[in-house]
Amino acid sequence: MDLNKELKELELTELNEKAENAVAVAVASTAVTGFVPIPFADAPLLIAQQVALMASICAIYKIDIEKDGLKMLATAAIGAGGAAVVGKTLATNLLKMIPGVGTAAGGVVSGGTAGVVTLAMGKAFIEVCKMVKVGKLSEADLTSSKGTEIMKQQFREQLIKAKKK
């Protein structure tokens, strides 16, 4: 293996580790946000935190993408998670409306769901960014229908992996 290729692989490994650390921090942060006992108050905060995570991953990989593009990718990915994610989120927020036990149980489930969704989102976006870094996808394609489909597919795959953990 030539030295240039080895250096590129080392650089990619380092970037991947930094991105994984950013995901770990975001998972903890969104789990806490999801625990907020006020029904439906956490949704806008969670999307903002997930977009911020994606922006930090972009910075790590030195990929330039607008915040609106990141928001679109995040919401498309969550939508791709299907009825299970949306249904669980809705159910836990309704549970939060029941004073006492419902609020606590809803907060715990909501926090867990937020953490799992953020983990899947972060890992999916890392995979997409790696594709850009190795030339399988262009930066311009990130917010195109091609990039959106890849993000959705990666999110679904990561969601399955995250649920198994």
Side-chain angles (χ1 to χ4, degrees):
M1 186 184 300
D2 69 22
L3 185 61
N4 204 16
K5 189 173 180 182
E6 272 187 52
L7 287 172
K8 283 185 178 185
E9 284 181 11
L10 282 171
E11 178 194 14
L12 191 58
T13 300
E14 185 180 328
L15 296 175
N16 295 343
E17 287 173 6
K18 286 180 181 178
E20 291 284 344
N21 288 338
V23 170
V25 170
V27 166
S29 173
T30 55
V32 170
T33 300
F35 191 73
V36 171
I38 303 164
F40 304 101
D42 56 358
L45 296 172
L46 290 171
I47 291 288
Q49 287 174 296
Q50 289 160 348
V51 169
L53 167 61
M54 292 169 74
S56 67
I57 292 170
C58 280
I60 290 166
Y61 287 96
K62 295 177 178 58
I63 294 172
D64 188 27
I65 183 172
E66 296 291 318
K67 190 175 179 179
D68 287 343
L70 293 174
K71 198 173 190 178
M72 181 268 303
L73 282 172
T75 53
I78 290 170
V85 172
V86 175
K88 195 169 201 175
T89 302
L90 185 61
T92 56
N93 277 292
L94 291 173
L95 203 72
K96 287 180 184 180
M97 292 179 155
I98 303 167
V101 176
T103 303
V108 169
V109 175
S110 183
T113 301
V116 166
V117 169
T118 302
L119 177 66
M121 175 91 58
K123 291 206 177 251
F125 197 60
I126 287 171
E127 291 303 314
V128 172
C129 289
K130 283 197 277 191
M131 288 178 186
V132 171
K133 206 69 181 159
V134 298
K136 290 183 180 177
L137 186 68
S138 73
E139 271 189 47
D141 282 340
L142 271 174
T143 55
S144 72
S145 59
K146 180 181 178 181
T148 303
E149 282 308 309
I150 292 171
M151 181 65 185
K152 286 180 185 180
Q153 175 194 350
Q154 287 295 325
F155 180 72
R156 282 190 291 265
E157 289 174 18
Q158 294 298 330
L159 202 53
I160 291 166
K161 288 179 186 177
K163 286 180 181 179
K164 288 181 181 176
K165 290 183 179 181

